């Protein structure tokens, strides 16, 4: 099993001046203790369930570039990008740039997005959901074209939402055949159909029973397009609170291993989680010492 860390909050002691050194320390430690991937959200305001909307939030691609400079092994990505924030060519160029500058460690994480509040607040168009899915599919088609060969297909693209005259990508990504694409979300009719057709990984959340259902539906979509579902990495997004003794509403390392083992039995191959108290180095040290080694053989 692979393990990924999502950094979902930048509300740390010391205020804005402390964000950069704290983030650098978290990323270096996560890389050192053995996380396979490190992610940040693609939001501009903090989201419900994590904190108040006014809490600090960093722009995702800029943050990933900073993280690349403070890590050497873990893959890096957005969990996941909102398709309407950027045009397709910029999505691919940003992911390719991260891949080249990180020595081949980028993910393209992308989805149809949901946070209307921040889009309206900052002036981003927020098309209806059906249009965002159509934009997502065209973006994925363009990504496949730009990651072909040595410098992209160089073909034209004419879609309903986007037109491109030359799908040129130079430098080309170091990850081949392309930067791996992860589509976030568990929508059974549209999202998982797009995963089957275009993606290298899915990301869903829920209980073991819930994610197993999503993976089964993904397999049905794969059968419909003639694709082996084993080609697609099955990931899931979770949250943990951990301590050595499991006190005050936390889980012990053994309990986390058991819970992730249940997810593995349900088909998960890559568990990505956000961690409360992430700025405390002892939490990541505990995971590196008592959780990650136990999950490697699952």
């Amino acid at each position: 099993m692979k393990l990924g860390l999502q950094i979902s909050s930048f509300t740390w002691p010391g205020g804005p001046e402390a964000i950069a050194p704290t983030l650098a320390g978290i990323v270096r430690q996560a890389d050192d203790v053995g996380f396979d991937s490190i992610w940040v959200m693609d939001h501009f305001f903090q989201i419900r369930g994590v904190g108040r909307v006014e809490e600090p939030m960093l722009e995702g691609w800029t943050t990933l570039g900073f993280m690349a400079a403070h890590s050497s092994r873990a893959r890096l990505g957005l969990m996941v990008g909102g398709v309407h924030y950027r045009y397709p060519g910029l999505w691919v160029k940003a992911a390719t740039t991260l891949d080249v500058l990180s020595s081949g460690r980028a993910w393209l994480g992308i989805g149809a997005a949901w946070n209307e509040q921040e889009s309206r607040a900052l002036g981003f168009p927020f098309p209806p959901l059906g249009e965002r899915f159509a934009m997502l599919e065209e973006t994925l088609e363009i990504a496949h074209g730009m990651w072909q060969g040595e410098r992209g297909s160089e073909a034209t693209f004419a879609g309903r939402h986007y037109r491109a005259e030359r799908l040129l990508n130079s430098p080309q990504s170091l990850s081949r055949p392309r930067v791996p694409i992860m589509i976030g979300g568990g929508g059974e009719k549209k999202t998982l159909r797009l995963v089957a057709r275009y993606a290298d990984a899915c990301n869903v959340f829920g209980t073991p029973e819930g994610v197993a259902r999503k993976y089964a539906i993904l397999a049905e979509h794969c059968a419909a397009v003639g694709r082996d579902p084993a080609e697609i990495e099955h990931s899931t997004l979770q949250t943990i609170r951990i301590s050595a003794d499991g006190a005050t509403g936390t889980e012990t390392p053994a309990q986390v291993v058991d819970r992730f083992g249940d997810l593995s039995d349900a088909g998960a191959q890559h568990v990505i989680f956000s961690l409360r108290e992430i700025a405390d180095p002892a939490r990541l040290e505990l995971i590196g010492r008592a959780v990650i080694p136990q999950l490697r053989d699952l």
Side-chain angles (χ1 to χ4, degrees), residues 56-129:
M57 181 54 59
L58 302 179
E59 191 280 323
W61 281 120
T62 310
T63 304
L64 291 175
F66 177 87
M67 291 163 57
H70 292 280
S71 59
S72 61
R73 192 188 55 78
R75 279 193 173 269
L76 306 168
L78 298 176
M79 179 56 64
V80 291
V83 68
H84 65 300
Y85 294 148
R86 305 165 187 91
Y87 281 94
L90 180 55
W91 276 113
V92 179
K93 285 298 294 187
T96 301
T97 299
L98 178 65
D99 198 62
V100 169
L101 297 182
S102 67
S103 301
R105 295 188 288 123
W107 275 100
L108 174 59
I110 195 165
W114 61 271
N115 196 334
E116 182 174 5
Q117 178 191 34
E118 64 183 358
S119 290
R120 300 297 186 204
L122 296 183
F124 291 96
F126 193 76
L129 182 59

Side-chain angles (χ1 to χ4, degrees), residues 142-154:
I142 289 171
H144 275 252
M146 288 181 67
W147 278 324
Q148 286 182 25
E150 294 183 3
R151 58 185 190 187
S153 69
E154 302 192 52

Side-chain angles (χ1 to χ4, degrees), residues 1 208 258-269 271 295 297-298:
M1 174 175 280
D258 285 345
R259 180 153 67 93
F260 287 3
D262 291 339
L263 290 166
S264 175
D265 291 341
Q269 300 163 313
V271 176
L295 296 174
D297 294 331
L298 293 180

Side-chain angles (χ1 to χ4, degrees), residues 187-203:
E188 297 175 5
K189 293 182 179 180
K190 293 184 178 180
T191 303
L192 295 179
R193 177 184 64 81
L194 293 177
V195 172
R197 188 173 294 275
Y198 299 103
D200 303 289
C202 66
N203 186 266

Side-chain angles (χ1 to χ4, degrees), residues 240-256 283 286:
I240 71 169
R241 294 190 67 195
I242 190 170
S243 66
D245 59 6
T248 62
T250 63
E251 296 174 279
T252 66
Q255 288 172 324
V256 172
R283 308 287 176 169
L286 180 62

Side-chain angles (χ1 to χ4, degrees), residues 75 99 104-106 173-180:
R75 279 193 173 269
D99 198 62
R105 295 188 288 123
S173 64
L174 301 185
S175 295
R176 304 305 295 150
R178 61 179 167 267
V179 172

